[in-house]
């Protein structure tokens, strides 16, 4: 540390040689702390995505509603992200990051409130009060022997209080998601700009690569945590007497989704503590990393003079032209800032490279947002795997490979000192191979198995029972869902009653008990048939499918750091905070907010059987697997194609700029031409070079 370093109070240290340098004045320690905080923040926001299908079943939500819930944290984030540029030059950035992390913690705790104010989960709505009668109500009983009170609980469950409670639960979750977004406003933009301001210019790409790589572990840990929590029953804190007979493979199983939010919130709270000890400003890092200099002392090409001049500028030196928003913001009121912001934002967006990089990241982020939100549900439906196993695959396979891709991208930019052309080429190749790997995914799956009484083909006929009319003597509840599978004919029935089953048998086992239904009039031989849905015939394809998805994620992640460097090195220093703020605002408005809703709406269009709750459409029980696969993978393919097109345009513009620079270099050095070139260089924004 140098003796002229300012303390947070603004006074120089009296005897710097007698004092040890504080760890909170090290940019490396800030990178470590910020990596851990963003890891915890993405863990708490990604945890909802890992349990999205569970929340749907627990509270009767459609995929469109759950997608809106997953995207709603971007609403509060987007509404306030504009003010990052305004407050960035006025406030204590690390301390504001800490305040945001505390708000994220409170939002995570609020997400668990619906579990505690709701009634215990009843997986069979026909008789919520009496567990043994659950099974009896699902059996085929003659109309005269059917319990007269069977429909009563269903009607009573639609009371005004129940509807108000449902709206309150959904409202609480949307409020918590909004607060989660508000708390995350200062964390990433302030952290990135703080690192890039005080890190050595050649170390910044590696620091950002490390930051993004560690941050990507957050969603991975969220899916891993979801895999563990969803193995536990949702009411583990209030188990019914006698236990439950469900297994995690049962489609009615609901895991302890709320428990992961408590764990994630505690992690964010711990990660927020160091930020209250970092200074508002710290000395700019003066030296390149040692291992970097040793390894590349001979092989590295020299840095351009312009880059050297800009990097050697002391932190206290101000640019000659103080027209950046970060420079004029301290002299503006909030109202004046709101008025001047659109003009400055348009000036930044007029830079074609910046605009195209942001659009390419919008396409990539739309793909990632849809995949992260609904890939677990897609795997559950397409390959008949449990929610826990789906999260385990994503957390242990997809996320680690994405981390490897981010690290590789950061190392390539730093080790090879990639210029704008090579950065654009790297991004283009990554997007191209990512697109090619997604093509086989359209063919990795199979059609929906037969479901008795349900149309899952546009021209199909209802009623797939082997013996039509076999349930005429039964009084089957219309809103019940307790599926059984005739594995010999691969036909699934909504309830044992719809299969004509008159009795049930429980096979006790040391770990789990298995329920079978017998005397089934719709089944050859009368049964027995096991409880639960039929397994998919394509369950063996889940690993090859996930390997291709994970490799595509790795290739897409390679483009992350190079595209960020195109932005950070392509704008003026005084506009850096603004550029990052605009970038994140556009990513939220154009990608993270609409993409989950778009994917959820597309998934809802493939539903063939909706559960009804109090006259409204609730959760979907069955999907057309072919339509689901084509529309879900098709959306991914569309966004990857858009990203590829943006990177191709970036490369074309960079080549055109190189040609123009070469043409200017050949012009004779007359006095008038030199004057024109000098005036043109002053007018031309420095963003055009990286």
């Amino acid at each position: 540390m140098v003796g002229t370093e300012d303390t947070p109070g603004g006074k120089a240290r009296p005897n710097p040689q007698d004092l040890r340098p504080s760890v909170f004045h090290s940019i490396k320690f800030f990178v470590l702390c910020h990596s851990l905080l963003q890891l915890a923040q993405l863990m708490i926001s990604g945890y909802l995505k890992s349990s999205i299908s569970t929340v749907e079943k627990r509270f009767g939500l459609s995929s469109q509603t759950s997608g809106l819930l997953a995207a709603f944290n971007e609403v509060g984030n987007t509404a306030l992200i504009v003010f990052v540029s305004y407050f960035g030059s006025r406030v204590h950035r690390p301390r504001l990051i800490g305040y945001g992390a505390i708000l994220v913690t409170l939002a995570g705790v609020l997400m668990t409130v619906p579990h505690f104010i709701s009634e215990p989960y009843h997986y069979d709505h026909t008789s919520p009060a009496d567990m043994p009668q659950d099974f009896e109500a699902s059996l085929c009983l003659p109309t005269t022997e059917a319990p007269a009170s069977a429909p009563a609980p269903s009607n009573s469950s639609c009371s005004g209080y129940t509807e108000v409670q449902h709206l309150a639960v959904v409202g609480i979750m949307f409020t918590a998601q909004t607060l989660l977004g508000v708390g995350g406003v200062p964390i990433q933009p302030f952290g990135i700009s703080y690192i890039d301001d005080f890190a050595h210019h050649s170390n910044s790409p590696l620091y950002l690569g490390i930051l993004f790589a560690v941050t990507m572990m957050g969603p991975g840990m969220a899916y891993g945590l979801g895999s563990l929590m969803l193995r536990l029953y949702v009411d583990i804190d209030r188990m019914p007497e006698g236990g439950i007979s469900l297994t995690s493979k049962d489609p009615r199983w609901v895991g302890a989704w709320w428990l992961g939010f408590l764990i994630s919130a505690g992690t964010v709270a711990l990660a927020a503590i160091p930020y209250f000890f970092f200074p508002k400003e710290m000395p700019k890092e003066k030296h390149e990393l040692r291992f970097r200099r040793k390894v590349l002392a001979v092989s590295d090409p020299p840095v351009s003079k312009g880059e050297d001049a800009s990097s050697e500028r002391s932190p206290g030196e101000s640019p000659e032209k103080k027209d950046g928003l970060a420079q004029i913001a301290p002299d503006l009121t909030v109202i004046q800032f709101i008025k001047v912001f659109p003009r400055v934002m348009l000036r930044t967006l007029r830079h074609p490279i910046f605009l195209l990089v942001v659009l390419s990241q919008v396409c990539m982020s739309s793909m990632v947002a849809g995949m992260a939100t609904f890939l677990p549900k897609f795997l559950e439906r397409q390959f008949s795997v449990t929610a826990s196993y789906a999260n385990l695959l994503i957390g242990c396979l997809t996320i680690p490979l994405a981390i490897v891709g981010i690290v590789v991208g950061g190392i390539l930019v730093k080790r090879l000192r990639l210029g704008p052309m090579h950065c654009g080429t790297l991004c283009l190749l990554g997007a191209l191979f990512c697109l090619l790997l997604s093509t086989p995914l359209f063919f990795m799956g199979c059609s929906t198995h037969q479901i008795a009484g349900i149309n899952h083909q546009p021209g199909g006929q209802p009623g797939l029972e082997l013996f039509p009319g076999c349930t005429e003597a039964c009084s089957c509840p219309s809103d019940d869902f307790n599926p059984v599978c005739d594995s010999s004919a691969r036909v699934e029935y909504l309830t044992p009653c719809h299969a004509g089953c008159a009795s049930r048998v429980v096979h006790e086992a040391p770990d789990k008990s298995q329920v079978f239904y017998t005397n089934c009039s719709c089944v050859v031989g009368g049964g027995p048939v096991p409880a639960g849905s039929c397994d998919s015939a394509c369950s063996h394809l889940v690993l090859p499918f996930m390997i291709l998805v994970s490799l595509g994620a790795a290739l897409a992640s390679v483009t992350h750091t190079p595209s960020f460097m195109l932005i950070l090195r392509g704008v003026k220093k005084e506009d850096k905070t603004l550029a990052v703020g605009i970038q994140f605002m556009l990513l939220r408005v154009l990608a993270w907010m609409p993409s989950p809703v778009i994917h959820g709406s597309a998934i809802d269009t493939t539903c063939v059987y909706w559960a009804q709750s109090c006259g409204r459409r609730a959760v979907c029980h069955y999907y057309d697997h072919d339509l689901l696969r084509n529309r879900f993978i098709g959306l991914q393919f569309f966004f990857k194609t858009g990203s590829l097109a943006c990177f191709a345009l970036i490369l074309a513009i960079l080549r055109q700029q190189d040609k123009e620079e070469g043409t200017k270099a050949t012009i004779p050095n007359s006095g008038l031409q030199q004057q024109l070139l000098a005036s043109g260089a002053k007018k031309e924004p420095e963003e055009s070079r990286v």
Side-chain angles (χ1 to χ4, degrees):
M1 313 309 298
V2 294
T4 57
E5 178 195 335
D6 289 339
T7 61
K11 296 181 180 180
R13 296 184 175 183
N15 297 314
Q17 296 179 353
D18 299 335
L19 300 176
R20 290 185 178 181
S22 172
V23 69
F24 293 103
H25 291 78
S26 170
I27 192 63
K28 297 182 181 67
F29 185 66
F30 184 87
V31 171
L32 172 64
C33 292
H34 202 64
S35 300
L36 295 178
L37 177 61
Q38 287 197 184
L39 181 149
Q41 182 206 3
L42 287 189
M43 182 170 71
I44 196 171
S45 60
Y47 182 78
L48 176 63
K49 297 175 175 62
S50 72
S51 55
I52 199 76
S53 62
T54 300
V55 173
E56 285 180 11
K57 284 189 284 187
R58 179 64 182 93
F59 299 107
L61 306 178
S62 65
S63 293
Q64 185 182 38
T65 304
S66 63
L68 182 63
L69 177 63
F72 216 72
N73 64 329
E74 309 299 342
V75 173
N77 198 303
T78 306
L80 297 177
I81 196 71
V82 172
F83 296 98
V84 167
S85 306
Y86 177 71
F87 291 111
S89 55
R90 305 170 74 100
V91 300
H92 196 298
R93 279 183 289 184
R95 197 170 295 165
L96 197 64
I97 292 174
Y99 291 142
I102 292 177
L103 187 58
V104 169
T105 301
L106 297 177
V109 174
L110 185 61
M111 276 295 295
T112 66
V113 171
H115 167 75
F116 296 103
I117 67 174
S118 300
E119 295 180 356
Y121 172 62
H122 302 293
Y123 48 85
D124 196 323
H125 300 288
T126 55
S127 182
D130 189 7
M131 191 64 66
Q133 192 178 346
D134 261 356
F135 299 102
E136 184 179 349
S138 295
L139 297 177
C140 177
L141 300 175
T143 306
T144 55
E145 298 180 15
S149 60
S154 178
N155 295 333
S156 63
S157 65
C158 293
S159 63
Y161 171 77
T162 305
E163 282 298 291
V164 170
Q165 187 185 42
H166 174 77
L167 293 176
V169 163
V170 175
I172 288 174
M173 289 193 292
F174 274 94
T175 303
Q177 285 293 99
T178 304
L179 293 179
L180 192 64
V182 172
V185 165
I187 293 178
Q188 203 166 25
F190 279 171
I192 291 177
S193 62
Y194 194 84
I195 292 172
D196 203 64
D197 280 346
F198 302 114
H200 192 275
H201 74 278
S202 62
N203 292 336
S204 181
L206 182 62
Y207 288 159
L208 292 179
I210 293 173
L211 175 65
F212 292 134
V214 177
T215 299
M216 282 295 292
M217 293 173 59
M221 293 178 65
Y223 286 111
L225 183 63
S227 177
L228 294 176
M229 296 299 103
L230 296 183
R231 294 180 183 178
L232 306 174
Y233 187 63
V234 60
D235 291 324
I236 191 173
D237 57 330
R238 46 185 179 183
M239 290 289 285
E241 295 182 5
I244 58 172
S245 59
L246 288 182
T247 64
S248 59
K249 277 195 165 185
D250 195 294
R252 299 171 296 167
W253 173 271
V254 172
W257 61 273
W258 54 275
L259 196 54
F261 279 107
L262 291 180
I263 298 174
S264 303
T267 307
V268 174
L270 292 176
I273 296 175
Y275 285 87
F276 297 98
F277 301 97
F278 281 108
K280 184 177 182 180
E281 293 182 355
M282 66 172 63
K284 188 174 180 66
E285 196 177 29
K286 293 184 178 298
H287 302 291
E288 203 173 0
L289 293 182
R290 292 180 180 178
F291 79 91
R292 162 72 173 163
R293 289 186 293 172
K294 290 179 180 179
V295 174
L296 300 177
V298 180
S299 60
D300 272 352
V303 186
S304 63
K305 293 182 180 179
E307 191 175 355
D308 278 340
S310 63
S311 64
E312 291 175 0
R313 181 184 296 162
S314 62
E317 255 184 278
S318 300
E320 293 181 2
K321 293 185 69 176
K322 295 187 177 182
D323 58 349
L325 191 61
Q327 300 292 330
I328 64 176
D331 302 326
L332 299 178
T333 64
V334 176
I335 302 299
Q336 291 172 332
F337 174 82
I338 294 176
K339 291 180 179 179
V340 77
F341 175 78
R343 177 165 49 86
V344 181
M345 185 179 69
L346 289 177
R347 185 189 70 183
T348 306
L349 289 178
R350 278 200 300 265
H351 190 280
I353 300 298
F354 176 81
L355 182 61
L356 286 172
V357 169
V358 170
L359 288 179
S360 67
Q361 289 184 342
V362 164
C363 293
M364 281 291 184
S365 297
S366 298
M367 180 267 294
V368 171
M371 184 73 76
T373 306
F374 290 109
L375 182 59
K377 178 174 182 175
F378 178 84
L379 297 178
E380 291 176 47
R381 298 293 182 171
Q382 192 72 39
F383 302 108
S384 296
V385 299
T386 63
S388 174
Y389 184 61
N391 287 325
L392 186 65
L393 286 175
I394 299 173
C396 294
L397 192 61
T398 307
I399 304 298
L401 283 179
I403 293 174
V404 171
I406 289 181
V407 172
V408 168
I411 291 177
L412 288 176
V413 172
K414 179 174 173 60
R415 182 175 293 272
L416 303 179
R417 291 187 183 270
L418 297 181
M421 284 290 296
H422 293 98
C423 280
T425 303
L426 180 61
C427 293
L428 181 68
L429 291 177
L432 175 62
F433 285 109
C434 177
L435 183 68
L436 294 177
L437 282 177
S438 65
T439 305
L441 301 180
F442 286 101
F443 310 101
M444 301 180 69
C446 52
S447 302
T448 309
H449 54 266
Q450 291 184 339
I451 304 166
I454 293 180
N455 268 337
H456 59 87
Q457 295 294 337
Q461 297 296 324
L464 295 173
E465 301 91 344
L466 296 179
F467 305 102
C470 57
T471 59
E472 287 182 356
C474 305
S475 177
C476 299
S478 59
D479 58 348
D480 193 8
F481 182 66
N482 180 17
V484 295
C485 176
D486 180 8
S487 55
S488 60
R490 288 198 56 78
V491 176
E492 186 170 326
Y493 300 88
L494 292 176
T495 65
C497 180
H498 289 83
C501 302
S503 58
R504 73 180 182 94
V505 178
V506 179
H507 289 180
E508 297 293 343
D511 49 351
K512 293 287 183 180
S513 58
Q514 179 67 44
V515 179
F516 292 89
Y517 294 92
T518 58
N519 299 327
C520 303
S521 58
C522 299
V523 177
V524 177
V529 292
S533 296
C534 297
D535 289 334
S536 171
C538 302
S539 56
H540 62 284
L541 294 176
V542 64
L543 282 179
F545 183 91
M546 285 304 299
I547 289 174
L548 287 178
V549 169
S550 303
L551 289 176
L555 290 171
S557 300
V558 169
T559 68
H560 203 227
T561 301
S563 60
F564 257 101
M565 296 314 299
L566 284 172
I567 291 177
L568 290 176
R569 292 287 176 257
V571 297
K572 297 177 182 178
K573 180 181 178 181
E574 61 269 22
D575 288 341
K576 194 177 300 181
T577 301
L578 173 69
V580 175
I582 291 176
Q583 177 202 15
F584 281 103
M585 182 187 68
L586 292 177
L587 288 181
R588 280 159 173 78
V589 172
L590 302 179
W592 293 100
M593 284 176 61
S595 180
V597 181
I598 293 172
H599 282 79
S601 302
I603 291 174
D604 282 343
T605 61
T606 67
C607 182
V608 295
Y609 180 74
W610 289 94
Q612 298 293 322
S613 176
C614 302
R616 64 175 177 83
R617 196 174 71 175
V619 66
C620 178
H621 285 318
Y622 295 107
Y623 293 91
D624 185 330
H625 289 177
D626 289 332
L627 273 180
L628 175 63
R629 183 175 63 257
N630 291 333
R631 293 183 181 177
F632 184 75
I633 303 300
L635 273 176
Q636 300 286 306
F637 195 88
F638 172 77
F639 288 124
K640 292 175 183 178
T641 304
S643 179
L644 179 65
C646 289
F647 284 130
L649 288 175
I650 290 172
L651 206 58
I653 292 176
L654 290 174
R655 287 182 177 177
Q656 183 65 27
Q657 289 180 352
D658 283 351
K659 290 181 180 179
E660 291 177 358
E661 290 180 1
T663 303
K664 289 180 181 180
T666 59
I667 298 178
N669 290 329
S670 65
L672 179 60
Q673 288 168 338
Q674 285 182 353
Q675 185 178 359
L676 290 175
L677 287 174
S679 62
K682 289 181 181 179
K683 292 180 181 179
E684 183 181 359
E686 196 175 343
E687 294 96 321
S688 61
R689 299 186 61 203
V690 178

